[in-house]
Amino acid sequence: MAIEPNHDEHLVAAVERGGGKIVGLDEARVLVWIGLPDDFPELPDAVEWVALESAGIEDFFDAGIVDDRRVWTNASGFYAENVAEHALALLLAGLRQINTAVTRHWDKERIDTSVRSLRGSTVAIVGAGGIGASLGPRLKACGARVIAVNRSGRDVPGADEVRRSTELDAVWASTDHVVLAAPATAETRHMIDAESLAALPNHAWIVNIARGPLVDEEALYDALVAGEIAGAALDVTDPEPPAADHPLWSLPNVIITPHVANPASGLTREFAPWLAKNLRRFAAGDELISVVTPGREY
C-alpha cells in the first residue's frame, strides 16, 4: 500500500500491524491519503481502496475525486473521543459562564445570575453517530438527559430518546441545548436557521463541532442579539476562519475555537488503530469500516 503525501510514523506502524507493506503508488492496491484534495494524485487502476484521513470529505466530493470505481473510506467516528470531549468542554464553558469570567474578571453580579447547570437539562445531539455515542455518556455523567438524532432512528447506546432527523421540529421544542455533529450535505445545510432558533428555549446553547455550513450564521447572530437563545459555542464556522470584523466576534455569549476539537497534533495517532483494523478486514475480504456512500456525500 501507499501512504501519501508522506510516511507518518504512526501510519507506517499501523500498516505493519495490519499485515501490509509500504510500496509506491504505482504498485499499491491501497492508498492512504493524509493530504487535501488539491494535491490528490491520479490513481492507477490497481488501487482498489482509498483511505482518507479526514472525517468530513465534502471537499473531495466537490473536487470530483471520489468515484465509484473503487472503495473509499473516511475517518467518520475515528476521532469521536477527542471531539466529544471538546463538545462537552464548550457546552460547560458556556453554561458555567467561564468565557464571560475570563474576559470580565471579577464581575460576580453579572456572572452569578447567568450561570446554569447541565444537571437536569436535556441535550439533543444532532447527527448522533460515533461522536454521539461518545458524547452521550459524558453528558449523562453530568446529570443531563440525552436525545440522539440520526437519519435512521437507530438506537444510540445511552440515549434516553432517539429521533429521526425528519423530526427536528419536535426536537427543538423538547430540548434545552443542541450539539451539532452531523455531516455537511445539501440536506443539513443551515439546519440551524431563523425558524429552528426561534423554536429553541431562550436559555439554549448551541454547540457546533461538525461543519460550519450547518448553521446560518446571520440568523444565529440575530437570535443571539435578540436573546432568542443564550449562546453559541463554535469550533467550526463558515467560512474558516471568520473575517476579523465578523459580528459574532463581538458578542459576549459566543465562544469560537479554531477548529481544534480534533487537534492536528494527534490526528494520525488517532487514525492509526482504525487503519490497522481496516487493513486486516481488507486482507480478509470483509466489509471495511466507514465506507463512503457517494450519493450521501459522506
Side-chain angles (χ1 to χ4, degrees):
M1 70 181 299
I3 300 177
E4 299 286 349
N6 57 62
H7 289 184
D8 175 89
E9 61 177 320
H10 299 295
L11 300 186
V12 170
V15 169
E16 294 171 353
R17 290 197 305 274
K21 66 177 182 177
I22 308 297
V23 297
L25 180 58
D26 57 342
E27 301 177 60
R29 295 174 61 200
V30 179
L31 169 64
V32 180
W33 182 253
I34 58 175
L36 298 173
D38 300 351
D39 303 317
F40 196 84
E42 184 174 348
L43 297 178
D45 291 340
V47 173
E48 302 172 34
W49 163 35
V50 179
L52 300 173
E53 189 196 29
S54 302
I57 58 170
E58 56 270 19
D59 290 346
F60 287 87
F61 279 105
D62 292 344
I65 290 172
V66 180
D67 59 27
D68 57 4
R69 297 173 53 197
R70 49 187 58 86
V71 176
W72 296 74
T73 59
N74 66 359
S76 178
F78 295 4
Y79 311 118
E81 296 292 332
N82 262 347
V83 178
E85 185 176 280
H86 196 79
L88 179 60
L90 289 175
L91 181 56
L92 286 172
L95 292 180
R96 306 301 300 190
Q97 290 292 286
I98 293 170
N99 61 309
T100 307
V102 167
T103 59
R104 298 182 69 91
H105 305 294
W106 198 263
D107 192 350
K108 183 174 174 63
E109 182 177 350
R110 175 184 173 87
I111 294 171
D112 210 17
T113 57
S114 302
V115 168
R116 297 184 65 90
S117 176
L118 185 53
R119 187 177 63 257
S121 65
T122 297
V123 180
I125 307 171
V126 181
I131 294 171
S134 296
L135 179 58
R138 289 172 163 83
L139 292 168
K140 292 181 72 66
C142 294
R145 181 175 180 273
V146 175
I147 300 175
V149 182
N150 54 40
R151 286 171 57 97
S152 63
R154 70 184 182 281
D155 288 342
V156 176
D160 297 285
E161 181 181 351
V162 178
R163 294 270 192 165
R164 295 177 184 271
S165 53
T166 53
E167 302 176 274
L168 281 175
D169 288 348
V171 172
W172 307 143
S174 57
T175 192
D176 294 296
H177 310 292
V178 177
V179 176
L180 300 176
T185 67
E187 292 178 356
T188 61
R189 178 175 174 77
H190 288 185
M191 64 163 48
I192 298 297
D193 56 11
E195 186 176 348
S196 56
L197 289 161
L200 288 166
N202 59 15
H203 59 260
W205 272 78
I206 291 175
V207 175
N208 188 4
I209 42 74
R211 284 292 183 266
L214 272 60
V215 177
D216 180 341
E217 290 179 0
E218 289 187 13
L220 177 64
Y221 175 82
D222 291 343
L224 289 163
V225 171
E228 289 184 353
I229 63 169
L234 313 173
D235 185 56
V236 289
T237 58
D238 183 25
E240 291 185 355
D245 60 352
H246 196 294
L248 285 175
W249 288 117
S250 67
L251 297 182
N253 53 347
V254 173
I255 303 169
I256 299 176
T257 55
H259 204 150
V260 291
N262 184 37
S265 59
L267 202 64
T268 55
R269 184 177 62 250
E270 296 290 326
F271 181 68
W274 296 95
L275 175 61
K277 185 179 294 187
N278 254 350
L279 278 169
R280 290 189 288 269
R281 286 173 173 257
F282 180 76
D286 296 335
E287 183 177 357
L288 302 181
I289 302 166
S290 199
V291 173
V292 171
T293 305
R296 287 169 57 180
E297 303 178 40
Y298 64 94

